[in-house]
Amino acid sequence: MGLLAWEQACAERGHGGYLLLDGAQAEGSHLALQAMRVPYASLFEGKREEVLPEIAPLLVALSGLDMQRRERLVSWILPLAFSVPCLSWYESPLPLPALAAHLRNFHQVGLSDGQAMMMRWYDTRILPIWLQALDPEQARLFTGSMLSISYIDRFGEAKTIHRGDQSGPPSAPLPLDQPLVTLDDRQFGLLVDAGDLDALVNHLKFVIPDETRKVGPRTLLDFVATYQREAMGAGLDDLDRQSQYVLLALYTSGAGVAHDAVRALMQDPPATLDAYAEALQALPGEVWEAGPPLWERAHAV
């Protein structure tokens, strides 16, 4: 990973190196950091969620630690990052309190209907979509005080998604519950779709655990994403009917949903789960035999 070398390079440039740990993916991490005597700031501080310290996003100062604590911190946090999508890291000239205050301004986002919602942008499955969804001015506002942003993705790969030659000022403090960024419907849709994909994949892993374990994680994600988009394009806007459609695709490597009988059904799919499931079961047997299950294809393992 090279986090220690990265931190040293930050220090040589006169900047701080910070780790951001999503506590919702690693509950109770604040207690481990306290035991290691590692400085951190909760991004829930001053928010309504500060009563939930065990799942708070924690901004951790890697810079400024003695070598023993630095090595202990990295050796503890990396196994977490490779097991669940929970770790990103940032280079910034700001001290820990100032960077944490800046990041707290993105705790909530406004929506086009005047409502606001909590934004878990630090979930590393969402982080790259978050940066893609922001318009140029919003992105400059978010990244202004940071020279780099990197993270470990769901497949255990380290990626850098932002680099800057110079940093700008941090955003100013906001009143409680006043969002700094408002998302339009397109931006909101991108972020919702990212969350829906994970929800569907997790549901399928629960329904057919043995089968999905035989499919490579990246292959499974890409396959489910493709057929979820097809389902949504046909008007299946709920997770339950989407899962039924994707299950047919999984059991036939996609050939089943390409059958004329399924294409006809998807022209006007039943609106309820029961009716849709019954319609799928009433399809000709050749639909379910149109192709081998995805997990039986040699390249999927």
Side-chain angles (χ1 to χ4, degrees):
M1 270 303 302
L3 280 179
L4 294 176
W6 168 77
E7 186 281 327
Q8 181 62 35
C10 290
E12 291 172 357
R13 290 189 287 267
H15 303 147
Y18 299 95
L19 311 179
L20 182 53
L21 180 63
D22 181 2
Q25 304 284 351
E27 288 192 25
S29 293
H30 64 304
L31 300 177
L33 293 171
Q34 291 169 16
M36 288 185 281
R37 296 183 296 110
V38 171
Y40 71 88
S42 168
L43 299 192
F44 280 177
E45 182 180 330
K47 308 298 181 183
R48 300 184 191 281
E49 290 77 15
E50 68 180 346
V51 298
L52 302 169
E54 66 277 5
I55 62 170
L58 307 175
L59 186 65
V60 183
L62 184 58
S63 298
L65 297 177
D66 58 76
M67 182 56 72
Q68 182 178 8
R69 281 188 296 167
R70 212 178 311 163
E71 291 179 346
R72 185 181 178 191
L73 171 61
V74 170
S75 65
W76 168 77
I77 209 167
L78 281 181
L80 283 176
F82 284 117
S83 62
V84 291
C86 65
L87 182 67
S88 51
W89 55 98
Y90 306 75
E91 179 179 351
S92 175
L94 298 178
L96 176 64
L99 181 57
H102 167 74
L103 294 176
R104 288 187 192 108
N105 284 338
F106 302 90
H107 178 71
Q108 283 191 325
V109 293
L111 303 177
S112 61
D113 61 359
Q115 301 295 311
M117 65 174 287
M118 179 179 167
M119 174 52 61
R120 296 187 67 256
W121 55 265
Y122 40 79
D123 180 327
T124 58
R125 296 166 298 187
I126 301 299
L127 180 58
I129 309 301
W130 164 250
L131 284 180
Q132 292 170 20
L134 296 177
D135 67 32
E137 181 56 35
Q138 292 168 338
R140 281 193 294 271
L141 187 62
F142 178 72
T143 63
S145 59
M146 294 172 279
L147 290 152
S148 70
I149 301 175
S150 303
Y151 72 106
I152 298 178
D153 70 11
R154 71 181 81 214
F155 305 115
E157 297 180 5
K159 297 182 176 179
T160 297
I161 50 176
H162 168 71
R163 290 190 189 278
D165 296 328
Q166 58 185 9
S167 65
S171 53
L174 293 171
L176 181 65
D177 293 338
Q178 179 177 321
L180 182 62
V181 167
T182 295
L183 303 178
D184 61 27
D185 292 341
R186 181 196 65 83
Q187 294 171 308
F188 177 67
L190 287 172
L191 292 160
V192 168
D193 288 349
D196 285 350
L197 174 58
D198 278 300
L200 181 53
V201 169
N202 290 334
H203 176 71
L204 293 168
K205 288 179 177 179
F206 176 78
V207 173
I208 49 172
D210 294 336
E211 292 84 350
T212 51
R213 273 196 291 268
K214 297 176 184 177
V215 182
R218 191 183 300 276
T219 298
L220 179 64
L221 184 76
D222 291 344
F223 187 92
V224 172
T226 295
Y227 289 98
Q228 184 186 39
R229 284 194 295 270
E230 284 191 8
M232 294 172 67
L236 305 186
D237 55 5
D238 57 289
L239 181 67
D240 290 327
R241 288 185 299 161
Q242 289 172 14
S243 68
Q244 293 292 314
Y245 183 83
V246 176
L247 278 169
L248 172 57
L250 283 167
Y251 272 96
T252 60
S253 294
V257 297
H259 191 281
D260 288 343
V262 179
R263 291 187 182 278
L265 172 65
M266 297 301 287
Q267 292 297 313
D268 186 22
T272 68
L273 172 61
D274 288 344
Y276 184 70
E278 289 177 4
L280 288 180
Q281 291 302 316
L283 291 169
E286 64 192 55
V287 170
W288 294 91
E289 299 170 0
L294 184 65
W295 44 88
E296 291 183 4
R297 290 168 51 179
H299 73 272
V301 183

